[in-house]
Amino acid sequence: MSNAVRSKITIKQVAAASGVAPSTVSNALTGKGYVAPETRSRVVEAAASLGYRASSLARSLRLQQTWSVGLLLADVSNPFFPAVVRGVEDVLWGKEYNLVLCNTDYRKDKEAAYLRHLLDKRLDGLILASTASDSDDVLRLQAERVPFVMLNRRHVSAKTYYVGMDNEGGVGMAMEHLLALGHRRIGFIKGRADSSAAEERYQGYLKALRQARIPFDEALVAYGDYTIESGHAAAVGLMGRPRLPTAIVSANDFMAFGAMALFKERGLRVPEEMSVIGFDDIFVSALPWIELTTVRPQSWQLGASAAELLLDLIAGRETGRARETILPNELILRATTARARANG
């Protein structure tokens, strides 16, 4: 009879074949409790010969744990996220946890639907890398005592476990570099209005201006949504100002690409006539026909640190006050920045 139609092998059949109790089979196959080495070998051999596979559902019901974690991303197509996901998965896989990945497209309704689904599935914990700063879902998770970690997203009022990059300091490094090159009219393309990371990067821009004693000019700030198209539209707005900036800092690389495309359309040379700095250092930024100067976060480590913290929460090892982990960035100098023009 083929494996496809053969009756499912039970733990009792493995026990009978190896001459031990079902509980001994369970301990031998899961590594729990003491089982003599020769007995363990006999059980493993019997299980293999019979084609026995333990039921993950039964194990979950018995131990009240699913060994699964949910990860909600804002935009799975953004090249920033793969390294983050890999960091999460590498840590979880090493601890024999499964990862359930959900893409929300920055939509609150989609995020709420996924969260309901994941909670219904009784996942052991969640990592949120898509949540809006005012999301009520965060408050619900806290009320239900669901273990979760926010990844580079903060809530406007709730204190949560958080792992993120130094968004403010990253933009500060970019501004410091441009100021050292003599730029004083520096434009900024801000990210999504509901993103705490975007707001922190904007605050880094404002702080750098204050420290350099440069008056804030609202005309030098444009708004995007992290897409290439929005960066292009933001650059159109900046190019329409009576006095052009000599440099631009973008809240992510995608919007920097859009701005650079607009400058090329208008015949404005980068970096001779316009310096550009991005944020994220996605893999295409280093391509020889782009060579974007940008801020590089520790993307893999962000994911890994979030997963490690979540596993501590699930295991009850992290029981104190909600804490934050902030990882530093690195400014990567390439070919899109130069000294300011004499009249800049």
Side-chain angles (χ1 to χ4, degrees):
M1 184 179 295
S2 69
N3 289 337
V5 297
R6 186 172 57 189
S7 298
K8 182 178 179 181
I9 301 299
T10 68
I11 195 170
K12 290 183 178 180
Q13 289 173 290
V14 176
S18 52
V20 298
S23 60
T24 302
V25 173
S26 177
N27 289 337
L29 297 180
T30 62
K32 297 183 182 297
Y34 175 76
V35 178
E38 61 273 15
T39 302
R40 187 185 306 277
S41 296
R42 192 165 69 251
V43 169
V44 171
E45 183 178 344
S49 64
L50 291 172
Y52 172 75
R53 187 172 70 87
S55 169
S56 60
L57 176 59
R59 183 174 177 234
S60 297
L61 291 172
R62 184 173 69 254
L63 299 178
Q64 293 296 296
Q65 195 170 350
T66 62
W67 286 271
S68 295
V69 164
L71 171 59
L72 273 67
L73 296 182
D75 180 8
V76 73
S77 66
N78 188 327
F80 164 70
F81 282 116
V84 176
V85 174
R86 187 57 186 262
V88 172
E89 192 210 15
D90 284 350
V91 169
L92 294 179
W93 184 257
K95 299 297 183 179
E96 299 185 351
Y97 273 75
N98 300 307
L99 177 63
V100 179
L101 183 63
C102 301
N103 174 57
T104 69
D105 291 320
Y106 291 103
R107 288 171 44 188
K108 290 184 179 181
D109 62 328
K110 197 172 180 182
E111 177 182 280
Y114 270 133
L115 283 174
R116 286 194 299 270
H117 174 75
L118 295 176
L119 292 176
D120 287 345
K121 294 294 186 183
R122 311 294 296 177
L123 267 66
D124 296 333
L126 299 167
I127 297 174
L128 307 180
S130 69
T131 312
S133 59
D134 60 350
S135 172
D136 292 334
D137 294 322
V138 171
L139 304 179
R140 294 191 190 99
L141 292 175
Q142 286 189 323
E144 296 182 26
R145 298 183 176 276
V146 176
F148 73 95
V149 173
M150 298 190 73
L151 178 53
N152 209 41
R153 298 289 190 276
R154 299 180 191 272
H155 194 269
V156 68
S157 60
K159 296 296 184 182
T160 70
Y161 288 93
Y162 170 87
V163 174
M165 66 187 77
D166 185 2
N167 291 295
E168 182 177 308
V171 170
M173 287 193 297
M175 291 290 290
E176 183 179 343
H177 174 61
L178 292 173
L179 291 166
L181 291 174
H183 295 279
R184 292 298 178 268
R185 286 189 60 76
I186 303 173
F188 186 76
I189 303 179
K190 188 181 177 184
R192 297 179 63 90
D194 60 356
S195 167
S196 64
E199 180 60 28
E200 290 172 2
R201 293 175 191 185
Y202 180 53
Q203 291 302 317
Y205 168 73
L206 297 178
K207 181 179 180 180
L209 292 178
R210 289 194 300 270
Q211 291 177 338
R213 298 185 178 181
I214 297 175
F216 170 67
D217 184 352
E218 190 173 359
L220 292 177
V221 179
Y223 300 87
D225 62 6
Y226 291 140
T227 63
I228 293 175
E229 294 78 11
S230 72
H232 186 279
V236 169
L238 291 171
M239 290 289 285
R241 307 295 192 255
R243 288 187 61 204
L244 298 182
T246 63
I248 285 177
V249 175
S250 171
N252 81 338
D253 286 357
F254 264 6
M255 294 191 296
F257 298 159
M260 290 169 64
L262 185 279
F263 299 149
K264 185 175 182 179
E265 292 168 11
R266 299 287 179 90
L268 198 64
R269 294 174 298 156
V270 175
E272 292 84 359
E273 297 175 283
M274 182 71 72
S275 289
V276 180
I277 298 182
F279 200 121
D280 285 343
D281 193 29
I282 59 178
F283 72 95
V284 293
S285 297
L287 294 175
W289 54 88
I290 298 177
E291 291 192 281
L292 178 67
T293 292
T294 184
V295 177
R296 175 187 291 169
Q298 300 182 57
S299 303
W300 183 92
Q301 190 61 53
L302 281 168
S305 296
E308 289 167 353
L309 177 54
L310 180 62
L311 291 179
D312 283 344
L313 289 170
I314 292 170
R317 292 188 293 268
E318 186 68 48
T319 58
R321 184 179 305 172
R323 65 178 174 87
E324 296 185 349
T325 299
I326 308 296
L327 300 179
N329 307 299
E330 179 183 3
L331 181 63
I332 304 300
L333 301 178
R334 295 195 180 103
T336 58
T337 56
R339 295 202 63 83
R341 293 168 294 167
N343 61 351

